[in-house]
Amino acid sequence: MTKQIDFSVFSSIKIGPVVDVLLIDEIQKLPQDTFLIGGANNILVSNNPPKLAMLSKKFEYMDINDDIFTVGGATKSGRVFSFCKKNDIKGFEYLSKLPGTLGGLVKMNAGMKEDEIFNSLLKIKTLHGYTEKKDIKHGYRFTDIDTIIYEAVFKINRGFDSQKVDIFSNMRKNQPSQPSAGSVFKNPDGDYAGRLIEEVGLKGYKIGDACFSEIHANFLVNLGSATSEDAISLIELAKDRVYEKFEIMLENEVIIV
Ligand SMILES: Cc1cc2nc3c(=O)[nH]c(=O)nc-3n(C[C@H](O)[C@H](O)[C@H](O)COP(=O)(O)OP(=O)(O)OC[C@H]3O[C@@H](n4cnc5c(N)ncnc54)[C@H](O)[C@@H]3O)c2cc1C
């Protein structure tokens, strides 16, 4: 079964074509040459994407058993946050302000500040059964997972922290409200991508309607009718200029599909 998705509406950056996306309804191998999407909060879909697939609603679920919390791969971060608040679970407070599906969050090891999804992760369920956290390479916004995450299992630590929710909300006040895919580049070791973009004169710089935000330069925002070509040209320009001036090669955090 497929679902028609208009990426200029569905994706967080509001850019992209209308595509028939394969709905994955049972545990299977990702078909060859197919890219898996979650909530499209960290991707930029070009005008000529590969075949796309996504998990169906069958993988939207949450369950608690003793001190174990099990979440289906298609479950949205907002639902996980509300569930944790209601059930007094700590460590997921940042999900109040971090859009995504559980599969996308785990694949990207998403997080804010020192909190990230791997902190309380025990294992993930894939086509090959369960894989323990210790067997998954992971770091800052990185994992080596190259297969579909159908489910993730966490250890429950009690004590939902509403002060943290306030801290994360305040952090977001310094970030732009226009459509974006979050941070466009990873922060290089010991530096900030936003600072480097600003240093090379690209803060507020536009190509078409794609712009490095005046509020936070590491956010590439869509001012209205940006195209994927505009956004990709801007990304390449920043990489070239930062490399010329600092000999630092910025690494994309946003995934161009
Ligand atoms: C306004 C804004 C702010 C943001 N702030 C932050 C932040 O502070 N910290 C942060 O870490 N991120 C941030 N992001 C990025 C984004 O929220 C995360 O990367 C999130 O994890 C993306 O989840 P998704 O489901 O939308 O995945 P997608 O964007 O659809 O996909 C991202 C990657 O995950 C893979 N993937 C998706 N589902 C699965 C699955 N079931 N199994 C295996 N792989 C899968 C995709 O193949 C792709 O490689 C922000 C985004 C926005 C729009």
Side-chain angles (χ1 to χ4, degrees), residues 18-210:
V18 179
V19 181
D20 283 328
V21 177
L22 174 72
L23 281 181
I24 295 181
D25 207 27
E26 60 186 359
I27 296 188
Q28 61 170 90
K29 201 164 174 243
L30 186 65
Q32 228 186 347
D33 302 324
T34 302
F35 184 88
L36 181 72
I37 63 159
N41 293 289
N42 202 51
I43 60 178
L44 174 63
V45 182
S46 72
N47 281 337
N48 194 14
K51 282 184 251 163
L52 300 177
M54 70 194 296
L55 294 180
S56 77
K57 281 188 182 298
K58 189 175 162 194
F59 296 98
E60 272 185 42
Y61 55 81
M62 285 174 283
D63 180 49
I64 292 184
N65 198 344
D66 291 331
D67 65 344
I68 298 297
F69 177 33
T70 304
V71 188
T75 315
K76 293 188 184 64
S77 52
R79 284 193 58 209
V80 179
F81 169 76
S82 304
F83 188 90
C84 290
K85 187 173 176 189
K86 190 169 154 221
N87 291 284
D88 193 35
I89 298 174
K90 106 169 164 194
F92 295 85
E93 290 82 358
Y94 59 92
L95 292 184
S96 65
K97 292 288 164 192
L98 208 163
T101 61
L102 198 275
L105 296 165
V106 172
K107 162 72 185 171
M108 301 303 295
N109 190 13
M112 288 173 79
K113 295 222 157 213
E114 68 277 10
D115 288 7
E116 55 187 28
I117 201 86
F118 263 65
N119 287 1
S120 44
L121 183 75
L122 293 174
K123 56 188 179 179
I124 60 169
K125 185 177 181 181
T126 72
L127 175 65
H128 314 291
Y130 286 99
T131 306
E132 304 280 330
K133 171 169 141 177
K134 69 174 171 47
D135 297 322
I136 306 169
K137 282 209 187 91
H138 62 279
Y140 164 63
R141 307 293 168 263
F142 159 80
T143 67
D144 68 350
I145 301 167
D146 61 358
T147 180
I148 304 175
I149 301 157
Y150 287 101
E151 181 182 287
V153 180
F154 300 93
K155 166 142 181 33
I156 294 179
N157 297 300
R158 297 285 174 186
F160 178 84
D161 187 346
S162 49
Q163 265 183 348
K164 272 204 168 167
V165 179
D166 295 341
I167 293 171
F168 293 130
S169 296
N170 280 329
M171 277 172 69
R172 288 298 187 217
K173 286 188 184 140
N174 300 323
Q175 293 176 357
S177 55
Q178 294 105 332
S180 76
S183 301
V184 59
F185 298 113
K186 295 182 185 187
N187 284 324
D189 269 350
D191 212 329
Y192 292 97
R195 185 191 81 82
L196 297 169
I197 295 168
E198 196 172 343
E199 286 287 327
V200 297
L202 291 179
K203 188 174 187 173
Y205 190 87
K206 282 193 261 179
I207 295 184
D209 261 350

